[in-house]
Amino acid sequence: MKLDPSAVSEAVRRLAEGEVIGLPTETVYGLAADATNPRAVARIFEIKGRPSHHPLILHIASAGELAQWVRAVPPRAERLISQFWPGPLTLLLDKSERVPSEVTGGLSTVAVRVPAHPMALSVLRELGRPVAAPSANRFGSVSPTEAAHVLSDLGSRVAMVLDGGSAEVGLESTIVDLSRGEPRLVRPGGVSRQELEMALAEPVLSGDGSERAPGTLPSHYAPRAPLRLVGRGNLTEHLSELLSQMGASGGEKVGVVCFGQAPQLKDVRLLLRVLPPDLAMAARLLYSSLRALDAEGASVILSEVPPEDGIGLAMVDRLTRAAAPRS
Ligand code: TXA
Ligand code: MG
């Protein structure tokens, strides 16, 4: 990917002026504002349509900056940081007084990560301050993995979108709570539970729901079309049943997301997205596939459940929330 220095400088200038921009990261695009400017941070919530007590992730330029923003850096954090930063891992730690309460939604903890994207890192270094950024989608919908997704969701409401290409991980960062002693997995993501446990040489507990994380609401990350999950191996059967109920007329279309293998069934009403069997590659394509099926007019989307190993756990988590009943 080429780094356009003039685009980066413009992004830095906008952020310094208190504006909100679309910022590429390796996980998903963020909706970024100067984290030290409470008015700019408040704009994020307005633009996103997100409740303002929801905490945001603080993005810093390097691990060396962490100590300013947290009360202490425990040994577990050191271990994870040396292995996974820059990268798709967010740590929850007790915040220092320097973190504005607007960023943490009034909580005493702060979520922090160093993104592994050259443009994001250049912006953070040149700005000389951290940015607060949620995913750059409208609240509750699928996170953007391309600049065009941000433009279509929020284009008229952001000062600019810095185009950093397709996000390499394609799913939001893993969030680990280190603020309460034993590590807890608050949100599975780009760094797998197995990798965390290897690095820490201890088990990582599941989140107990006490963390205030909107991404952990039952219904989230959803495409427009209703999504139904189908166990592996049952896709062809489910599809033929659904198609026979639909009838030939009406122009209704069924979106299909599957892993490695297409269903044994051909029908003009099917919109197929066969994702690669390699789960990391599939994760990269998952959100853009859901968006594309929406755009192509799917009236319902059936998705196979991927295996839960590695980043598969994060995919199952997001698909399950996307399929949950909506309020
Ligand atoms: O990959 C990512 O993490 C992307 C990119 C842009 O960095 N960001 C992202 O942000 O997914 P967002 O706001 O969509 O999700 C962040 C999650 C939310 O569920 C939020 O509630 C949780 O992190 N969170 C942030 N600060 C927290 C805190 N102090 N305690 C508990 N949860 C927190
Ligand atoms: Mg989000």
Side-chain angles (χ1 to χ4, degrees), residues 57-82:
I57 294 177
L58 195 72
H59 297 72
I60 57 176
S62 71
E65 293 181 6
L66 178 64
Q68 308 166 40
W69 307 102
V70 299
R71 252 200 11 222
V73 181
R76 285 183 177 102
E78 309 254 16
R79 234 171 274 159
L80 294 180
I81 287 165
S82 67

mmCIF file of all heavy atoms in Angstrom, residues 57-82:
data_model
loop_
_atom_site.group_PDB
_atom_site.id
_atom_site.type_symbol
_atom_site.label_atom_id
_atom_site.label_comp_id
_atom_site.label_asym_id
_atom_site.label_seq_id
_atom_site.Cartn_x
_atom_site.Cartn_y
_atom_site.Cartn_z
ATOM 1 N N ILE A 57 -12.195 3.190 22.274
ATOM 2 C CA ILE A 57 -10.807 2.711 22.346
ATOM 3 C C ILE A 57 -9.854 3.871 22.084
ATOM 4 O O ILE A 57 -10.044 4.650 21.151
ATOM 5 C CB ILE A 57 -10.576 1.571 21.328
ATOM 6 C CG1 ILE A 57 -11.422 0.340 21.716
ATOM 7 C CG2 ILE A 57 -9.095 1.192 21.262
ATOM 8 C CD1 ILE A 57 -11.327 -0.826 20.746
ATOM 9 N N LEU A 58 -8.822 3.961 22.937
ATOM 10 C CA LEU A 58 -7.767 4.953 22.773
ATOM 11 C C LEU A 58 -6.685 4.317 21.902
ATOM 12 O O LEU A 58 -6.167 3.245 22.231
ATOM 13 C CB LEU A 58 -7.208 5.272 24.160
ATOM 14 C CG LEU A 58 -6.347 6.499 24.320
ATOM 15 C CD1 LEU A 58 -7.218 7.757 24.229
ATOM 16 C CD2 LEU A 58 -5.641 6.467 25.683
ATOM 17 N N HIS A 59 -6.367 4.971 20.772
ATOM 18 C CA HIS A 59 -5.333 4.449 19.871
ATOM 19 C C HIS A 59 -4.069 5.271 20.064
ATOM 20 O O HIS A 59 -4.105 6.496 19.914
ATOM 21 C CB HIS A 59 -5.800 4.533 18.413
ATOM 22 C CG HIS A 59 -7.016 3.692 18.119
ATOM 23 N ND1 HIS A 59 -8.272 4.013 18.568
ATOM 24 C CD2 HIS A 59 -7.146 2.538 17.417
ATOM 25 C CE1 HIS A 59 -9.129 3.085 18.164
ATOM 26 N NE2 HIS A 59 -8.477 2.172 17.461
ATOM 27 N N ILE A 60 -2.969 4.595 20.412
ATOM 28 C CA ILE A 60 -1.704 5.302 20.647
ATOM 29 C C ILE A 60 -0.664 4.852 19.618
ATOM 30 O O ILE A 60 -0.821 3.814 18.971
ATOM 31 C CB ILE A 60 -1.197 5.088 22.096
ATOM 32 C CG1 ILE A 60 -1.019 3.594 22.414
ATOM 33 C CG2 ILE A 60 -2.156 5.719 23.096
ATOM 34 C CD1 ILE A 60 -0.436 3.325 23.811
ATOM 35 N N ALA A 61 0.403 5.679 19.482
ATOM 36 C CA ALA A 61 1.385 5.445 18.418
ATOM 37 C C ALA A 61 2.386 4.352 18.757
ATOM 38 O O ALA A 61 2.947 3.723 17.856
ATOM 39 C CB ALA A 61 2.135 6.747 18.113
ATOM 40 N N SER A 62 2.626 4.130 20.048
ATOM 41 C CA SER A 62 3.602 3.102 20.416
ATOM 42 C C SER A 62 3.366 2.656 21.854
ATOM 43 O O SER A 62 2.745 3.374 22.654
ATOM 44 C CB SER A 62 5.026 3.646 20.297
ATOM 45 O OG SER A 62 5.250 4.586 21.340
ATOM 46 N N ALA A 63 3.897 1.482 22.151
ATOM 47 C CA ALA A 63 3.748 0.933 23.499
ATOM 48 C C ALA A 63 4.366 1.872 24.537
ATOM 49 O O ALA A 63 3.894 1.955 25.673
ATOM 50 C CB ALA A 63 4.391 -0.449 23.572
ATOM 51 N N GLY A 64 5.396 2.603 24.120
ATOM 52 C CA GLY A 64 6.079 3.507 25.043
ATOM 53 C C GLY A 64 5.169 4.605 25.586
ATOM 54 O O GLY A 64 5.434 5.172 26.645
ATOM 55 N N GLU A 65 4.100 4.906 24.855
ATOM 56 C CA GLU A 65 3.184 5.965 25.302
ATOM 57 C C GLU A 65 2.166 5.476 26.338
ATOM 58 O O GLU A 65 1.467 6.275 26.949
ATOM 59 C CB GLU A 65 2.400 6.531 24.102
ATOM 60 C CG GLU A 65 3.272 7.281 23.123
ATOM 61 C CD GLU A 65 2.459 7.840 21.956
ATOM 62 O OE1 GLU A 65 1.214 7.740 21.955
ATOM 63 O OE2 GLU A 65 3.095 8.379 21.036
ATOM 64 N N LEU A 66 2.072 4.155 26.485
ATOM 65 C CA LEU A 66 0.989 3.610 27.309
ATOM 66 C C LEU A 66 0.985 4.145 28.735
ATOM 67 O O LEU A 66 -0.068 4.499 29.277
ATOM 68 C CB LEU A 66 1.062 2.065 27.324
ATOM 69 C CG LEU A 66 0.005 1.375 28.192
ATOM 70 C CD1 LEU A 66 -1.406 1.635 27.642
ATOM 71 C CD2 LEU A 66 0.270 -0.130 28.269
ATOM 72 N N ALA A 67 2.185 4.222 29.337
ATOM 73 C CA ALA A 67 2.286 4.568 30.759
ATOM 74 C C ALA A 67 1.592 5.894 31.115
ATOM 75 O O ALA A 67 1.089 6.061 32.226
ATOM 76 C CB ALA A 67 3.746 4.608 31.184
ATOM 77 N N GLN A 68 1.529 6.830 30.143
ATOM 78 C CA GLN A 68 0.871 8.114 30.426
ATOM 79 C C GLN A 68 -0.638 7.992 30.601
ATOM 80 O O GLN A 68 -1.268 8.842 31.208
ATOM 81 C CB GLN A 68 1.058 9.092 29.259
ATOM 82 C CG GLN A 68 2.465 9.293 28.802
ATOM 83 C CD GLN A 68 2.464 10.002 27.458
ATOM 84 O OE1 GLN A 68 1.675 10.927 27.214
ATOM 85 N NE2 GLN A 68 3.342 9.572 26.560
ATOM 86 N N TRP A 69 -1.201 6.963 29.999
ATOM 87 C CA TRP A 69 -2.666 6.893 29.904
ATOM 88 C C TRP A 69 -3.301 5.880 30.854
ATOM 89 O O TRP A 69 -4.511 5.782 30.937
ATOM 90 C CB TRP A 69 -3.076 6.598 28.450
ATOM 91 C CG TRP A 69 -2.453 7.581 27.512
ATOM 92 C CD1 TRP A 69 -1.364 7.372 26.710
ATOM 93 C CD2 TRP A 69 -2.835 8.952 27.322
ATOM 94 N NE1 TRP A 69 -1.050 8.526 26.022
ATOM 95 C CE2 TRP A 69 -1.940 9.509 26.373
ATOM 96 C CE3 TRP A 69 -3.842 9.767 27.852
ATOM 97 C CZ2 TRP A 69 -2.022 10.841 25.956
ATOM 98 C CZ3 TRP A 69 -3.929 11.092 27.432
ATOM 99 C CH2 TRP A 69 -3.028 11.611 26.497
ATOM 100 N N VAL A 70 -2.451 5.113 31.543
ATOM 101 C CA VAL A 70 -2.974 4.121 32.489
ATOM 102 C C VAL A 70 -2.309 4.309 33.853
ATOM 103 O O VAL A 70 -1.250 4.920 33.966
ATOM 104 C CB VAL A 70 -2.744 2.671 31.976
ATOM 105 C CG1 VAL A 70 -3.461 2.467 30.654
ATOM 106 C CG2 VAL A 70 -1.256 2.352 31.839
ATOM 107 N N ARG A 71 -2.945 3.765 34.890
ATOM 108 C CA ARG A 71 -2.394 3.929 36.251
ATOM 109 C C ARG A 71 -1.127 3.132 36.434
ATOM 110 O O ARG A 71 -0.178 3.586 37.064
ATOM 111 C CB ARG A 71 -3.456 3.500 37.268
ATOM 112 C CG ARG A 71 -4.007 4.692 37.971
ATOM 113 C CD ARG A 71 -4.685 4.441 39.297
ATOM 114 N NE ARG A 71 -4.518 3.128 39.867
ATOM 115 C CZ ARG A 71 -5.502 2.462 40.444
ATOM 116 N NH1 ARG A 71 -6.714 2.976 40.482
ATOM 117 N NH2 ARG A 71 -5.276 1.282 40.971
ATOM 118 N N ALA A 72 -1.127 1.921 35.851
ATOM 119 C CA ALA A 72 0.060 1.070 35.961
ATOM 120 C C ALA A 72 0.031 0.086 34.811
ATOM 121 O O ALA A 72 -1.032 -0.211 34.267
ATOM 122 C CB ALA A 72 0.038 0.325 37.286
ATOM 123 N N VAL A 73 1.201 -0.388 34.420
ATOM 124 C CA VAL A 73 1.291 -1.391 33.358
ATOM 125 C C VAL A 73 1.682 -2.724 34.018
ATOM 126 O O VAL A 73 2.846 -2.941 34.349
ATOM 127 C CB VAL A 73 2.334 -0.995 32.291
ATOM 128 C CG1 VAL A 73 2.380 -2.049 31.180
ATOM 129 C CG2 VAL A 73 2.021 0.380 31.708
ATOM 130 N N PRO A 74 0.700 -3.591 34.256
ATOM 131 C CA PRO A 74 1.008 -4.842 34.952
ATOM 132 C C PRO A 74 1.845 -5.781 34.070
ATOM 133 O O PRO A 74 1.848 -5.634 32.844
ATOM 134 C CB PRO A 74 -0.372 -5.442 35.229
ATOM 135 C CG PRO A 74 -1.316 -4.768 34.295
ATOM 136 C CD PRO A 74 -0.716 -3.444 33.932
ATOM 137 N N PRO A 75 2.565 -6.726 34.697
ATOM 138 C CA PRO A 75 3.413 -7.655 33.948
ATOM 139 C C PRO A 75 2.660 -8.391 32.843
ATOM 140 O O PRO A 75 3.210 -8.622 31.759
ATOM 141 C CB PRO A 75 3.903 -8.638 35.014
ATOM 142 C CG PRO A 75 3.779 -7.907 36.308
ATOM 143 C CD PRO A 75 2.657 -6.932 36.153
ATOM 144 N N ARG A 76 1.408 -8.750 33.070
ATOM 145 C CA ARG A 76 0.648 -9.433 32.012
ATOM 146 C C ARG A 76 0.523 -8.548 30.771
ATOM 147 O O ARG A 76 0.587 -9.019 29.646
ATOM 148 C CB ARG A 76 -0.759 -9.790 32.498
ATOM 149 C CG ARG A 76 -0.809 -10.964 33.456
ATOM 150 C CD ARG A 76 -2.267 -11.235 33.772
ATOM 151 N NE ARG A 76 -2.436 -12.375 34.624
ATOM 152 C CZ ARG A 76 -2.689 -12.305 35.945
ATOM 153 N NH1 ARG A 76 -2.778 -11.134 36.542
ATOM 154 N NH2 ARG A 76 -2.844 -13.412 36.642
ATOM 155 N N ALA A 77 0.310 -7.258 31.011
ATOM 156 C CA ALA A 77 0.191 -6.331 29.880
ATOM 157 C C ALA A 77 1.511 -6.277 29.125
ATOM 158 O O ALA A 77 1.542 -6.332 27.893
ATOM 159 C CB ALA A 77 -0.207 -4.948 30.383
ATOM 160 N N GLU A 78 2.626 -6.212 29.873
ATOM 161 C CA GLU A 78 3.946 -6.178 29.220
ATOM 162 C C GLU A 78 4.120 -7.375 28.292
ATOM 163 O O GLU A 78 4.608 -7.244 27.171
ATOM 164 C CB GLU A 78 5.070 -6.239 30.270
ATOM 165 C CG GLU A 78 4.940 -5.236 31.395
ATOM 166 C CD GLU A 78 5.938 -4.106 31.256
ATOM 167 O OE1 GLU A 78 6.486 -3.958 30.164
ATOM 168 O OE2 GLU A 78 6.135 -3.374 32.265
ATOM 169 N N ARG A 79 3.721 -8.525 28.789
ATOM 170 C CA ARG A 79 3.894 -9.743 27.998
ATOM 171 C C ARG A 79 3.077 -9.698 26.708
ATOM 172 O O ARG A 79 3.560 -10.012 25.630
ATOM 173 C CB ARG A 79 3.455 -10.946 28.837
ATOM 174 C CG ARG A 79 4.537 -12.004 28.905
ATOM 175 C CD ARG A 79 4.168 -13.069 29.896
ATOM 176 N NE ARG A 79 4.592 -12.673 31.240
ATOM 177 C CZ ARG A 79 4.085 -13.171 32.372
ATOM 178 N NH1 ARG A 79 3.106 -14.062 32.324
ATOM 179 N NH2 ARG A 79 4.534 -12.777 33.529
ATOM 180 N N LEU A 80 1.824 -9.296 26.844
ATOM 181 C CA LEU A 80 0.961 -9.256 25.650
ATOM 182 C C LEU A 80 1.420 -8.176 24.676
ATOM 183 O O LEU A 80 1.423 -8.377 23.461
ATOM 184 C CB LEU A 80 -0.503 -9.032 26.056
ATOM 185 C CG LEU A 80 -1.143 -10.170 26.860
ATOM 186 C CD1 LEU A 80 -2.590 -9.834 27.192
ATOM 187 C CD2 LEU A 80 -1.072 -11.489 26.085
ATOM 188 N N ILE A 81 1.836 -7.043 25.221
ATOM 189 C CA ILE A 81 2.274 -5.935 24.368
ATOM 190 C C ILE A 81 3.506 -6.324 23.569
ATOM 191 O O ILE A 81 3.596 -6.064 22.366
ATOM 192 C CB ILE A 81 2.560 -4.688 25.243
ATOM 193 C CG1 ILE A 81 1.247 -4.088 25.729
ATOM 194 C CG2 ILE A 81 3.378 -3.663 24.466
ATOM 195 C CD1 ILE A 81 1.414 -3.101 26.869
ATOM 196 N N SER A 82 4.465 -6.986 24.228
ATOM 197 C CA SER A 82 5.700 -7.310 23.505
ATOM 198 C C SER A 82 5.405 -8.275 22.368
ATOM 199 O O SER A 82 6.083 -8.270 21.351
ATOM 200 C CB SER A 82 6.766 -7.863 24.453
ATOM 201 O OG SER A 82 6.342 -9.113 24.944
#
